[in-house]
Amino acid sequence: MSRTGAVKDFYCALGAKSSSAGYRLEVFTSLASTNDEAMSRVSAGDPGHLWIVAATQTKGRGRMGRSWVSPPGNLYASLLLIDPAPPARLAEIGFVAGVALIDALRALAGPGPSIRLKWPNDALGDGAKMSGLLLEGARLRDGHFACVVGVGVNCASSPSDAPYPTASLKSIGAASWDRGALFAALSDRFADWLEVWARGDNFAAIRAAWMERAGGIGERARVDRKGERLEGSFRGIDAQGRMLLERLDGFVETIEAGDVAFDPRKA
């Protein structure tokens, strides 16, 4: 592991399982974006199985081009994988990551707080958003495919000016909100669930685990997609990971992308 300008209160190490499985780690005091750094390693020919972690980000990014505020005290990490699955199955890694993150968060939080998944892969702490995940990829000149999974988690703090409720491990009363401990747990659980997923051959197991950890199933939901607003009841995800939304007329919409809010009467 290399450490660039390490800060005194920031220690990060791989979990025992991921370390023994051959994953590597590089830690930085500050980066523009851990995803950007991981993608730059692709251009340099990195073989993958590499975690990039930063104490802060100056240009953190979320889904749909949104910025991700990245103050000290929270976790910012990206995993670079090369050819983790056939290209048609790569989007499933987001669900693998979501399941792994929930397990890691619950390990730190203890039995009190409610930590659930929100479609497709956000973590909710007592109903408020605690994390974001950004999946990016690139086809290489030699035909191989690089995939980067970026994870941002509110450990010590969460933004106060977001257009939705936010939370951190600290604010929900977790037993621990140490970002180093969270990363160690996440790296191990991610390695475990990637093995279960089996390069896409066993997404059924990931889907089942996702459903067990999901929040909002059976609740009223609102989905905004491409200028269209849909309302209905959240019925889980299908075999491809698409959201199932049962409209008031009983028709079930399958949704591949969109912004989701539960109970639109309160949103």
Side-chain angles (χ1 to χ4, degrees), residues 56-265:
T56 62
Q57 298 181 119
T58 58
K59 296 181 180 179
R61 295 182 289 110
R63 291 190 305 120
M64 301 180 185
R66 296 166 181 155
S67 63
W68 186 265
V69 179
S70 308
N74 296 335
L75 178 65
Y76 314 109
S78 295
L79 174 62
L80 168 61
L81 298 169
I82 304 295
D83 289 334
R89 312 306 298 264
L90 289 177
E92 296 173 2
I93 293 180
F95 295 92
V96 180
V99 170
L101 179 58
I102 292 300
D103 288 354
L105 286 167
R106 287 178 174 177
L108 261 72
S114 169
I115 297 178
R116 312 291 291 179
L117 272 166
K118 177 186 174 185
W119 184 84
N121 42 46
D122 288 344
L124 300 179
D126 289 342
K129 181 168 177 167
M130 294 180 61
S131 73
L133 187 146
L134 180 61
L135 185 65
E136 296 183 301
R139 184 175 294 277
L140 309 182
R141 292 180 179 177
D142 58 7
H144 293 290
F145 204 94
C147 179
V148 174
V149 186
V151 183
V153 186
N154 299 333
C155 297
S157 65
S158 63
S160 59
D161 57 351
Y164 44 78
T166 65
S168 65
L169 278 169
K170 183 177 181 179
S171 72
I172 63 173
S176 171
W177 52 87
D178 181 84
R179 56 190 169 177
L182 176 61
F183 173 73
L186 174 61
S187 66
D188 273 357
R189 297 307 292 143
F190 209 159
D192 286 338
W193 282 111
L194 282 171
E195 287 186 4
V196 172
W197 179 53
R199 293 176 51 83
D201 287 342
N202 195 20
F203 183 65
I206 300 302
R207 177 183 180 273
W210 192 98
M211 293 283 285
E212 289 175 357
R213 294 157 178 76
I217 294 180
E219 294 183 14
R220 288 177 58 85
R222 182 187 71 209
V223 181
D224 292 320
R225 63 173 186 185
K226 298 179 180 179
E228 176 186 28
R229 174 163 290 183
L230 303 172
E231 293 189 6
S233 297
F234 178 43
R235 297 303 181 195
I237 59 175
D238 68 7
Q240 287 74 49
R242 297 175 298 185
M243 180 181 182
L244 300 175
L245 185 73
E246 183 179 356
R247 301 187 322 202
L248 296 179
D249 61 7
F251 181 80
V252 177
E253 293 267 3
T254 56
I255 297 169
E256 294 187 358
D259 287 326
V260 179
F262 289 114
D263 197 349
R265 294 164 297 184

Side-chain angles (χ1 to χ4, degrees), residues 37-63:
E37 179 66 21
M39 290 301 293
S40 75
R41 302 306 178 91
V42 174
S43 301
D46 193 279
H49 274 56
L50 172 67
W51 280 100
I52 300 288
V53 178
T56 62
Q57 298 181 119
T58 58
K59 296 181 180 179
R61 295 182 289 110
R63 291 190 305 120

